[in-house]
Amino acid sequence: MDSLLASASRSEDEDSSAGHKRSLSQGSGLIPKRRSSSRFIKRKKFDDELVESSLAKSTSRARGPSGGEPGRCSGSEPSSNEKKKVCKTVTTPAPPSPAPSPSITKRIKKSKQPLQVTKDLGRWKPADDLLLINTVLQTNDLQAVHLGVKFSCRFTLSEIQERWYALLYDPVISKLACQAIRQLHPEAIAAIQSKVLFSKAEEQLLSTVSSSSQPTLETFQDLLTKHPDVFYMSRTAKSLQVHWQLMKQYYLLEDQTVQPLPKGDQVLNFSDAEDMLDDTKLRDTRDEVLEHELTVADRRQKREIRQLEQELHRWQVLVDSITGMSSPDFDTQTLAVLRGRMVRYLMRSREITLGRATKDNQIDVDLSLEGPAWKISRKQGVIKLKNNGDFFIANEGRRALYIDGRPVLPGNKWKLSHNSVVEVGTFS
């Protein structure tokens, strides 16, 4: 009993001393040292300990490895009651947000930049840009480029100037144009370079070749070798020869002179020459013999036409007697007449079918009425009237049709003329 009282009084003294020390530490803002043992006891952490340890780790990362918390000493973990008191008395500052790394900032900057559209910026194609650049560098004259260069589209002088200035001073357009030019095929680049205009210095060197001489390819090759800095890099002896011939044709060589214009009463243009003509002198003399022959031929033709018009009704009667068809068959609704051995069929629609009629298959022209039709298909053929007035028959049966003795195989069609004979099997 005495031992219990002694231990209780000892614990009260310790609690009072501990409370006095805790009040001192709170007044001074410092956390007292905690007792620790050398033994390592592995146990689970409570929720408040987890929160405190996470806060401690975040503050230690923000302050660095060397900077520790004030009033904290290295030692073992305190008890849960002391940690609760510490959590109540000491307020830990909020951990500062970590600064973003330079790689993240670069990504943010790149994402904020507007995406460049690599679509075509107009009617200008890479071939046009390359031709414009090479020609301007060779001639130094936009007016000559507008008059002498043939682009893929018809550009005005202002459009050519705007494109040239854009290629020079607009970084976006120049970059896109250079990327597109690099993707051109070498053969396409060679073809574009062959279209570059000749500069004045090049034409001046070509004009030194005499017009009376007959220069060969070797002559122009010598010019290329002697003046490589003047001629364009894609020039060949053949291209120089062709351009020299054009200059000779238009009298642009040094030894050629253009004839002066006529003066005085001489003709200046075509309209002046036309005014000077006398219409009376241009008239042909009258040929009486030719006029008489033309008059006689005209009278003869008119007489023959009149005779044919008088004999027209006789020919109509002859045709009706041969074919057996008379005019009353053709009324306003009848398009054509099909006449067989036994029956006459009137075609009053633009499309009719030929064949053998059955209970399940109805046919416009039933060939079984003409006789035994066991060799005829149920749908032997189709006759159609086109918009231009022509009749066509299509064979859709198994056997061939014969039009005026010519066979029409299954799946083919044939044009029907007036009085055509159609043979289907043994019928005609």
Side-chain angles (χ1 to χ4, degrees):
M1 193 70 181
D2 296 335
S3 61
L4 290 174
L5 293 173
S7 60
S9 60
R10 195 182 300 113
S11 60
E12 289 177 358
D13 296 337
E14 289 177 359
D15 291 339
S16 60
S17 62
H20 181 66
K21 290 180 181 179
R22 194 177 296 113
S23 61
L24 291 176
S25 62
Q26 288 177 0
S28 61
L30 297 177
I31 299 174
K33 293 184 180 181
R34 297 183 179 87
R35 292 179 298 175
S36 62
S37 64
S38 60
R39 280 192 311 171
F40 176 74
I41 300 174
K42 187 176 181 180
R43 61 180 178 82
K44 293 183 179 181
K45 295 182 179 181
F46 297 99
D47 294 338
D48 54 356
E49 294 176 350
L50 292 173
V51 173
E52 186 180 1
S53 60
S54 62
L55 293 175
K57 289 180 181 180
S58 61
T59 53
S60 61
R61 288 177 184 175
R63 295 176 183 175
S66 59
E69 294 182 359
R72 290 290 301 271
C73 299
S74 61
S76 63
E77 298 177 353
S79 62
S80 60
N81 294 329
E82 293 177 352
K83 286 182 179 180
K84 288 180 181 179
K85 294 178 182 178
V86 170
C87 292
K88 291 179 180 178
T89 55
V90 180
T91 58
T92 58
S97 60
S101 60
S103 61
I104 297 176
T105 56
K106 289 182 180 179
R107 291 176 185 175
I108 296 172
K109 291 181 181 179
K110 289 183 179 179
S111 62
K112 290 183 179 179
Q113 293 178 357
L115 297 175
Q116 296 179 357
V117 182
T118 57
K119 294 183 179 179
D120 192 6
L121 299 178
R123 296 184 300 164
W124 288 89
K125 298 180 180 179
D128 297 334
D129 291 334
L130 181 60
L131 184 59
L132 175 63
I133 293 170
N134 292 336
T135 309
V136 173
L137 293 178
Q138 186 67 15
T139 60
N140 297 325
D141 189 358
L142 292 176
Q143 183 73 25
V145 173
H146 174 249
L147 296 176
V149 177
K150 185 177 181 181
F151 295 101
S152 61
C153 300
R154 188 180 296 275
F155 298 110
T156 61
L157 180 59
S158 60
E159 290 176 344
I160 294 175
Q161 291 176 350
E162 290 176 1
R163 186 63 177 182
W164 175 248
Y165 295 148
L167 292 175
L168 286 179
Y169 304 113
D170 194 334
V172 177
I173 295 178
S174 61
K175 183 178 179 180
L176 293 177
C178 292
Q179 290 177 357
I181 290 172
R182 292 192 193 98
Q183 295 177 359
L184 290 175
H185 195 270
E187 295 181 358
I189 295 176
I192 294 170
Q193 291 177 349
S194 64
K195 299 178 183 179
V196 176
L197 296 179
F198 280 79
S199 62
K200 294 181 180 180
E202 291 176 330
E203 291 182 347
Q204 186 175 2
L205 289 176
L206 289 177
S207 63
T208 56
V209 181
S210 176
S211 61
S212 59
S213 62
Q214 299 294 332
T216 60
L217 294 177
E218 296 178 356
T219 305
F220 297 104
Q221 188 64 37
D222 294 339
L223 283 176
L224 286 174
T225 54
K226 291 180 181 178
H227 306 280
D229 54 340
V230 176
F231 290 101
Y232 188 62
M233 59 181 179
S234 63
R235 305 288 189 219
T236 59
K238 182 65 178 178
S239 63
L240 295 183
Q241 185 181 19
V242 172
H243 194 73
W244 178 84
Q245 292 174 354
L246 288 175
M247 294 177 65
K248 180 181 177 181
Q249 181 180 355
Y250 293 103
Y251 294 91
L252 297 177
L253 301 180
E254 288 184 353
D255 57 348
Q256 288 180 327
T257 55
V258 181
Q259 298 178 357
L261 294 175
K263 299 179 181 180
D265 298 333
Q266 296 181 359
V267 179
L268 296 179
N269 50 31
F270 182 78
S271 60
D272 295 339
E274 188 178 8
D275 294 337
M276 294 174 62
L277 292 177
D278 189 1
D279 295 338
T280 58
K281 296 180 181 180
L282 298 177
R283 295 176 181 176
D284 296 334
T285 57
R286 185 174 183 180
D287 192 350
E288 296 180 357
V289 178
L290 180 61
E291 290 181 358
H292 177 68
E293 291 180 356
L294 292 175
T295 304
V296 172
D298 187 29
R299 289 177 181 176
R300 188 184 302 112
Q301 291 176 356
K302 290 180 179 179
R303 189 184 303 112
E304 292 178 357
I305 292 172
R306 197 175 297 111
Q307 291 177 358
L308 291 174
E309 289 177 351
Q310 293 176 359
E311 295 177 356
L312 184 61
H313 67 281
R314 299 178 183 177
W315 288 102
Q316 184 68 34
V317 173
L318 180 61
V319 170
D320 292 341
S321 63
I322 293 175
T323 59
M325 293 185 297
S326 58
S327 57
D329 292 336
F330 291 91
D331 53 5
T332 56
Q333 297 180 355
T334 303
L335 302 176
V337 177
L338 303 177
R339 187 174 181 83
R341 296 176 183 176
M342 306 295 293
V343 186
R344 184 176 71 250
Y345 304 92
L346 301 180
M347 182 177 178
R348 294 186 175 180
S349 61
R350 298 180 67 89
E351 180 178 346
I352 61 174
T353 56
L354 309 175
R356 175 168 47 88
T358 60
K359 294 181 179 180
D360 301 330
N361 186 27
Q362 297 298 326
I363 297 297
D364 297 328
V365 180
D366 187 9
L367 298 179
S368 61
L369 300 176
E370 297 288 331
W374 58 276
K375 289 186 179 181
I376 298 175
S377 302
R378 282 175 288 185
K379 189 176 181 181
Q380 184 66 43
V382 178
I383 298 177
K384 292 182 180 180
L385 174 61
K386 300 293 184 180
N387 294 330
N388 57 1
D390 296 334
F391 289 86
F392 283 84
I393 183 170
N395 187 1
E396 296 185 3
R398 296 181 180 179
R399 298 178 182 271
L401 300 177
Y402 293 89
I403 311 299
D404 297 332
R406 297 179 180 179
V408 179
L409 300 178
N412 297 333
K413 61 182 180 179
W414 193 266
K415 181 181 178 181
L416 296 176
S417 58
H418 184 58
N419 291 332
S420 293
V421 180
V422 180
E423 298 179 12
V424 183
T426 59
F427 303 134
S428 62

